[in-house]
Amino acid sequence: MKNKINYDVDLLLKKAFRSSETPDARLIQKVKQELIMKEEPTLKKQTIRRSFSAVAVIAAIMLITTTAFAAWHFLKPEDVAEKLGDHDLSEAFNSNAAMSINNPPVTSG
């Protein structure tokens, strides 16, 4: 009995999908317009959110790189060590035995 019911449902579905009837062109246009009207505000919101996210990411990257460049360019190693509270390291950077690896060695010639 169960198989017969499933078979009947399958036949009904096949008949429904084989139908050659098509809706009126005005109905199709009306449905399309309604879908467009519903989807348009959602698309605008997504575009605004995406552009805001992109601007926020770019601003964060610029802030980080600018800060890193400023720290590298304006702070001496002993200043950084002092700000971090490592007085021994700061003194080591200030000593005459300290060698800067960012500058080439000076040779007399």
Side-chain angles (χ1 to χ4, degrees):
M1 178 78 177
K2 190 174 185 180
N3 287 337
K4 182 164 177 32
I5 293 172
N6 287 341
Y7 181 73
D8 291 341
V9 171
D10 287 342
L11 284 177
L12 288 172
L13 287 172
K14 285 179 183 177
K15 285 181 183 178
F17 286 127
R18 271 192 264 160
S19 175
S20 61
E21 296 177 21
T22 58
D24 184 31
R26 286 180 287 166
L27 178 62
I28 292 172
Q29 288 300 323
K30 182 180 175 183
V31 170
K32 282 183 181 180
Q33 288 298 327
E34 286 179 11
L35 285 174
I36 290 172
M37 297 303 272
K38 281 184 181 178
E39 302 261 337
E40 196 170 284
T42 305
L43 293 174
K44 285 181 182 178
K45 286 180 187 177
Q46 289 176 351
T47 304
I48 291 170
R49 286 182 187 156
R50 284 186 185 147
S51 61
F52 177 74
S53 298
V55 169
V57 167
I58 291 170
I61 290 171
M62 288 182 65
L63 178 67
I64 291 169
T65 55
T66 304
T67 304
F69 175 76
W72 168 78
H73 188 70
F74 295 113
L75 291 177
K76 295 184 235 167
E78 54 269 15
D79 296 336
V80 175
E82 191 69 37
K83 288 195 183 288
L84 292 174
D86 195 340
H87 303 293
D88 294 333
L89 183 59
S90 178
E91 288 176 17
F93 279 126
N94 278 329
S95 73
N96 290 336
M99 183 175 76
S100 177
I101 60 171
N102 292 334
N103 299 331
V106 178
T107 57
S108 59

